[in-house]
Amino acid sequence: MATIKAVLADKRLPVALHEPSFSALDQQLLKDCLDSGFVSSVGEYVDHFERQLAEYLGVDHVVAVVNGTAALHVSLLLAGVMAGDEVIVPALSFVATANAVSYCGATPHFVDSEPRTLGLDPIKLDEYLADILQFDGDVWRNRNTGCRVAAMIVMHTFGHPVDMDALNAVAQRYGLPVVEDAAESLGSRYKAKMAGTLADLAAISFNGNKIITTGGGGAIVIRDKNLAARARHLTTTAKISHPWQIAHDEIGFNYRMPNLNAALGCAQLEKLPGFVEQKRQLADAYIQAFSMVEGVSVFQEPEYSHSNYWLNVMLLDEANLVMRNEILALLNNATIMARPVWTLMHKLPMYQACPRMDLSMAEDLEQRLICIPSSPFLVRVASHA
Ligand SMILES: Cc1ncc(COP(=O)(O)O)c(C=O)c1O
């Protein structure tokens, strides 16, 4: 605890796990949006936000939606996931990753992580799929359940990119479309490419705890122009475009991001490169500080990546596992917010019966990880100490 306190300079208790950062620009754009009267899902800020985000990512098509979960849901539908399918999902993820699969009427099929990235393990996955999948001349099916395995979701845990080249190779072998759950990784890079641009479809979250926020919000990043048009249609209640008539041609979703949220997003995006820089400095400070402490380390980005370090995590050595809850209690009692990683999804009541592989690495990581305060401005506190 003393090490964390030293990094945080012990100035501003309580310390949250991740707080949003606002400035005059956020207030100015929000006021402008209020003054315009266009606060809902029609308005210029939604268009601006989508263009600004597309430019930042270097892509052509971005569709802003109400949250990251909705972005995942629609991405899976666009990937062709249907009721009765199975979708490959990391067991170590936030529950939204699996919930989005369930919203499609499909079943999450949980797979293991690797310690190098905290994301899907491409080698273990390849061996597992070779074992359980069988091609019926048309699609790949799980030989145990008979269900079509329709897609794979990769998630960049705490902002650290998965080994995408290796995972894409596995997905290609089985003709699986890949959806990137980039909810936590806006601003991270895998090799030279931005997270959120590494697959045909990606979902980003702008929840209040993310690197930038729109209050609540999300975005779908889509390579294909026609799929992007379909995403826009589906997320706008499938309304047929017409100057005054109101008609819909299928069951759509009321998922478009409101203009008010997009106004905040435009201001936040301006500051994103600075936030990434601050968060990398904070991670450096933690890494340095913990290099002197035995039995624990701070997780560092995989060698090929430039991570946004959305949440910093401590990794306890095997010998110190018994101390995890004690450390969590000490930090939280001292009003320094710390959290264990999510309870693995195959342990949650609604997902216990889902198909899964051996999840020993995810289970090991679940015991060893502790998330520690990671707001971008904390690094300023540290340097003013
Ligand atoms: C890995 C992951 N996937 C999906 C989501 C869902 O995003 P949202 O909360 O915007 O629905 C989140 C975060 O909240 C997340 O961390």
Side-chain angles (χ1 to χ4, degrees):
M1 183 159 89
T3 312
I4 293 182
K5 276 192 166 173
V7 171
L8 300 178
D10 203 21
K11 287 274 166 60
R12 292 189 192 170
L13 295 174
V15 183
L17 202 58
H18 203 290
E19 274 182 75
S21 278
F22 299 122
S23 64
L25 184 63
D26 301 279
Q27 292 181 3
Q28 187 190 322
L29 297 199
L30 280 172
K31 181 173 181 311
D32 183 58
C33 182
L34 287 174
D35 291 346
S36 77
F38 289 97
V39 294
S40 259
S41 54
V42 181
E44 288 184 355
Y45 278 113
V46 178
D47 299 338
H48 281 176
F49 181 62
E50 288 180 346
R51 274 201 302 275
Q52 218 179 321
L53 182 59
E55 202 174 303
Y56 177 79
L57 293 171
V59 298
D60 291 330
H61 311 292
V62 164
V63 176
V65 293
V66 286
N67 54 49
T69 312
L72 273 174
H73 177 197
V74 173
S75 296
L76 290 168
L77 293 174
L78 296 176
V81 173
M82 293 188 289
D85 287 338
E86 287 177 16
V87 175
I88 301 295
V89 171
L92 182 82
S93 185
F94 179 56
V95 70
T97 317
N99 284 348
V101 173
S102 304
Y103 299 164
C104 300
T107 301
H109 187 139
F110 297 117
V111 294
D112 208 9
S113 306
E114 62 165 338
R116 190 174 54 125
T117 66
L118 306 179
L120 287 191
D121 181 333
I123 296 170
K124 207 169 164 183
L125 180 65
D126 201 17
E127 284 169 12
Y128 178 67
L129 293 182
D131 193 30
I132 65 140
L133 290 189
Q134 96 186 359
F135 193 61
D136 71 0
D138 190 19
V139 296
W140 289 92
R141 292 187 185 278
N142 177 343
R143 68 171 84 237
N144 301 317
T145 60
C147 294
R148 176 174 82 125
V149 176
M152 175 169 120
I153 305 182
V154 300
M155 197 278 280
H156 310 301
T157 312
F158 307 132
H160 302 293
V162 292
D163 188 352
M164 202 67 200
D165 287 345
L167 286 163
N168 271 334
V170 176
Q172 265 168 22
R173 216 174 335 280
Y174 299 103
L176 297 177
V178 178
V179 171
E180 246 185 295
D181 182 344
E184 305 178 352
S185 53
L186 181 63
S188 297
R189 285 199 305 268
Y190 170 74
K191 299 182 179 170
K193 293 188 200 148
M194 301 299 279
T197 70
L198 307 172
D200 287 341
L201 292 152
I204 298 174
S205 167
F206 307 109
N207 185 28
N209 65 354
K210 296 300 185 292
I211 186 160
I212 63 164
T213 185
T214 59
I220 316 169
V221 186
I222 309 162
R223 273 197 196 138
D224 181 82
K225 189 175 160 201
N226 295 328
L227 276 189
R230 174 133 185 80
R232 236 170 258 287
H233 187 61
L234 270 182
T235 54
T236 322
T237 58
K239 183 178 177 300
I240 302 165
S241 177
H242 190 278
W244 39 264
Q245 220 158 41
I246 303 167
H248 310 259
D249 59 6
E250 62 182 307
I251 299 174
F253 305 94
N254 186 9
Y255 275 178
R256 286 292 267 155
M257 178 183 278
N259 206 37
L260 195 58
N261 301 71
L264 181 55
C266 289
Q268 290 271 299
L269 262 179
E270 294 281 329
K271 294 178 279 184
L272 177 57
F275 289 159
V276 174
E277 208 32 58
Q278 282 177 301
K279 287 169 76 60
R280 290 183 60 80
Q281 283 175 28
L282 179 64
D284 259 0
Y286 276 132
I287 291 162
Q288 292 301 323
F290 276 96
S291 65
M292 331 275 189
V293 182
E294 260 185 49
V296 57
S297 57
V298 171
F299 185 81
Q300 297 191 40
E301 64 193 357
E303 68 284 359
Y304 50 69
S305 72
H306 185 271
S307 173
N308 71 0
Y309 280 93
W310 171 58
L311 275 191
N312 285 286
V313 277
M314 294 178 0
L315 266 167
L316 301 179
D317 284 359
E318 204 69 35
N320 291 325
L321 291 186
V322 284
M323 286 165 61
R324 187 193 77 156
N325 287 352
E326 202 180 315
I327 295 171
L328 281 165
L330 264 174
L331 286 168
N332 284 295
N333 289 342
T335 68
I336 296 174
M337 198 190 268
R339 292 284 180 267
V341 74
W342 315 280
T343 299
L344 297 179
M345 273 186 288
H346 66 291
K347 297 183 178 175
L348 302 176
M350 62 286 194
Y351 291 130
Q352 279 170 8
C354 290
R356 61 175 194 256
M357 70 191 289
D358 163 67
L359 297 170
S360 46
M361 183 48 69
E363 281 170 355
D364 179 58
L365 290 169
E366 183 189 30
Q367 295 305 306
R368 295 173 55 200
L369 292 172
I370 295 180
C371 303
I372 51 178
S374 299
S375 306
F377 56 80
L378 287 175
V379 76
R380 273 210 314 269
V381 177
S383 62
H384 286 171

